Amino acid sequence: MKSPSAVLLGLALLCSASFAADGTLQIQIFDKATRKPLHARVSLLTSDKVARWGKDVSGVDLAYGGLPRFWTAGELKQTLPEGEVEVVVSRPFDFLPFKTKLLIRAGETTRVEAALERLVDIHGKGWFGGDVHVHVVHGEMQFNVDMARVIPIARAEGEDWVSFAQAWSTWHAPQMTPQQLDTLSRKSSDADFLCTWGMEHPKDHLGHMAAFPLGVPKTYQEAVGGNDYQAFSGKAGKHEGFTHFEILRAMKNLGTLAVYSHPTREYGGTKESVGNIARELPFDVVGAPWSLEALDIFCDAPGHAADEKLAYYLFNRGLRFAICGFTDVCYDRKGERPGDTRTFVYLGKREQPEIPLSMPKIIEAVRKRKTFATTGPLVLFTAGEHGIGDVIPAGVQVLKARIEAWNGVDYADPRKDVGVSKVDVLRNGAVWKSFAAPAAAKYHTVEFDIKEEGTAWYAVKVYGTDPKTQFAVTSPIFFEGADYKAPAVPVSTVRGTVKDEKSGAKLNGIVRVIEYSAQGRTERSKSAFKDGAFAVQCPADCRIEISAEGYMSQLKSLFLDVEKIYADMFLKIHRPALTDDAFYTKLQEALKEIEFNIRLVPAK
């Protein structure tokens, strides 16, 4: 038997031999034009086939989707086995990847400068890409992550602005307060990256919405109201506390907004009442069209065709809103693809010295429809002096339209040589013109004339080399003819009876029309009624309040409290209804005349 000292000596020699077989790779990453360090992704592919990933808080590989990679702030130092290594440095979507093969020698340091060249200076043109549907922790907790860990990942993935949501620490760690989130966000932001926090809110059986930051140090429930995800039975007293448009009203008062995400997704819930779908959306379209300011159509990309169809259908109904594309990424879950989808907003060309990105300006850009959504390609679209999101009088003149499209990096595998393959011009949702691009063209531009005599909208869709995974869609340029009528809130004739709950005696009292939200009530009208009967004109986005002396008042929603609408139509809704004229016509008819039978309880 060997002595303990001999065993220790053997282990020491083995370890020494192991380290001697390793070398060091040191990479400096910077912008080729400015020499400024860049946050970027680095993939190191070695002959031992080991998947090398950045780590979570506990040191576990963050095995997300795509090529294994590290995330750096401009420099990476990594120990590697002796032999050849393929280095791939990328920063989607406005830089071309850097690719090289190197020989690692044992005991030596190999240094390389990765100078990334811009595909296009998209920032110089005024466009900045980001995401507001981002879960630091969704609940699967396959990785131990917190907000501080994922912020550098988002930056290295090339995002310019991100709002991190829902829960911010995993494995049952205490969650950060709004004040703590504000502090961390400020510390993590600079001229090149805006870090904020938000929520998927409202998120209930009526639909899921990606909410932009509130701008106040409060929770969303405190500031704009919350709902119970399970309160959807349709039975008396069993429904959400607020409609989505009432929560959006409160958000609008704070200068922010929320976006329906994965609107046509059917997942979870029950057989009779499917989950995840944007259940309330058709009511908002008819009854509160002001509330629909944007729609996320790429959350389920590449399986997003139904979402895209919905957006085009709503444009053809006369609505004007922004096209968005967010990820719904969950940083605590395997196989996720942070930053593979994003929304670009036009903020205007940056002046010198550079001014930090601003969430109020991003929200304003979304409200003005200055957006395009992408999974890779970048696109600009102008018609004369007008751009994406603008409204133009029809029939005025012939406008020279111009499209510029770029595509130079594949998110999943930056080693691939990709480019623009096709550019489609959509008119009212149908392909009006189509332009094929030269093979693997990194940049493609087309020009054509538009002479529009009536109300119409034009948008652009760009495809990459792999049209199934790489595409971008702009918000439309709208042409407005004399026949255009902006969707307006319909006014319902609301009638009802008011009686004592026990005796059935007819009561006298007051009926009020209330504009309602968690921030308070605005009285739109008030009238008296006698002998237990009332009739009032009420906008569909308001509630009525019935009160009588000595009794507890009742507040009724024209959506949540009307069985023939909420229970009979919306609890049973499925995807086809979202783009079905007959469904919308039925809703419009139902809103014309509404009846309530009110039973008031004596005040205690």
Side-chain angles (χ1 to χ4, degrees), residues 233-546:
S233 69
K235 298 178 182 178
K238 289 289 186 179
H239 57 60
E240 291 80 355
F242 297 94
T243 65
H244 279 209
F245 66 77
E246 288 167 343
I247 293 175
L248 293 173
R249 175 180 286 139
M251 295 187 74
K252 198 165 188 175
N253 290 339
L254 291 174
T256 189
L257 59 94
V259 180
Y260 276 109
S261 196
H262 51 72
T264 67
R265 182 189 294 177
E266 295 184 330
Y267 178 77
T270 66
K271 183 179 179 180
E272 296 77 20
S273 190
V274 68
N276 270 251
I277 194 169
R279 174 168 278 101
E280 187 188 311
L281 186 144
F283 189 93
D284 295 350
V285 168
V286 173
W290 54 267
S291 68
L292 190 63
E293 299 187 273
L295 189 67
D296 175 5
I297 68 169
F298 277 3
C299 185
D300 285 331
H304 67 286
D307 294 343
E308 198 172 342
K309 176 184 176 182
L310 172 60
Y312 300 162
Y313 174 82
L314 297 179
F315 288 143
N316 288 337
R317 288 187 66 92
L319 279 81
R320 294 174 179 161
F321 53 86
I323 289 290
C324 292
F326 302 127
T327 59
D328 198 7
V329 67
C330 307
Y331 275 98
D332 65 334
R333 191 163 67 188
K334 295 178 181 178
E336 293 293 277
R337 297 163 64 94
D340 75 330
T341 302
R342 62 194 72 168
T343 298
F344 275 80
V345 295
Y346 180 71
L347 303 181
K349 295 181 179 180
R350 300 181 93 170
E351 303 293 336
Q352 295 295 334
E354 292 184 348
I355 299 174
L357 295 167
S358 160
M359 187 51 69
K361 290 182 179 179
I362 291 170
I363 292 169
E364 180 184 11
V366 173
R367 286 209 155 105
K368 291 181 177 179
R369 304 173 297 275
K370 299 292 185 180
T371 67
F372 68 85
T374 184
T375 63
L378 304 174
V379 55
L380 301 183
F381 173 36
T382 57
E385 298 300 316
H386 302 278
I388 293 169
D390 286 348
V391 179
I392 306 173
V396 175
Q397 58 186 350
V398 176
L399 296 177
K400 180 68 70 176
R402 178 178 172 83
I403 298 169
E404 293 183 279
W406 299 264
N407 189 40
V409 58
D410 183 272
Y411 173 90
D413 189 350
R415 296 172 299 178
K416 293 181 179 179
D417 186 21
V418 298
V420 176
S421 64
K422 187 174 67 165
V423 176
D424 284 345
V425 182
L426 308 177
R427 180 184 181 275
N428 294 343
V431 176
W432 180 62
K433 291 182 181 292
S434 187
F435 304 91
K442 301 291 187 290
Y443 170 67
H444 188 57
T445 183
V446 296
E447 293 186 351
F448 51 92
D449 291 337
I450 297 178
K451 178 69 166 84
E452 185 55 63
E453 299 291 345
T455 296
W457 58 269
Y458 292 77
V460 173
K461 186 168 186 178
V462 174
Y463 296 89
T465 300
D466 183 353
K468 293 182 179 179
T469 61
Q470 294 186 322
F471 34 79
V473 176
T474 70
S475 290
I477 294 176
F478 298 90
F479 287 81
E480 185 175 295
D483 60 333
Y484 176 74
K485 292 183 179 179
V489 176
V491 177
S492 300
T493 299
V494 182
R495 295 185 175 87
T497 60
V498 185
K499 298 179 180 179
D500 179 283
E501 182 190 43
K502 291 185 178 180
S503 69
K506 297 177 181 180
L507 301 177
N508 300 331
I510 301 292
V511 56
R512 294 177 172 85
V513 173
I514 303 293
E515 196 173 88
Y516 185 68
S517 79
Q519 294 173 347
R521 303 139 45 96
T522 300
E523 186 177 294
R524 297 278 296 272
S525 69
K526 179 177 71 172
S527 57
F529 63 86
K530 292 183 178 181
D531 298 324
F534 69 87
V536 67
Q537 298 298 110
C538 180
D541 63 351
C542 291
R543 298 194 183 200
I544 63 164
E545 184 182 55
I546 304 295

Side-chain angles (χ1 to χ4, degrees), residues 48-65:
D48 61 5
K49 306 298 183 183
V50 173
R52 290 176 166 81
W53 286 96
K55 309 295 184 181
D56 75 356
V57 172
S58 302
V60 174
D61 284 357
L62 284 169
Y64 294 135

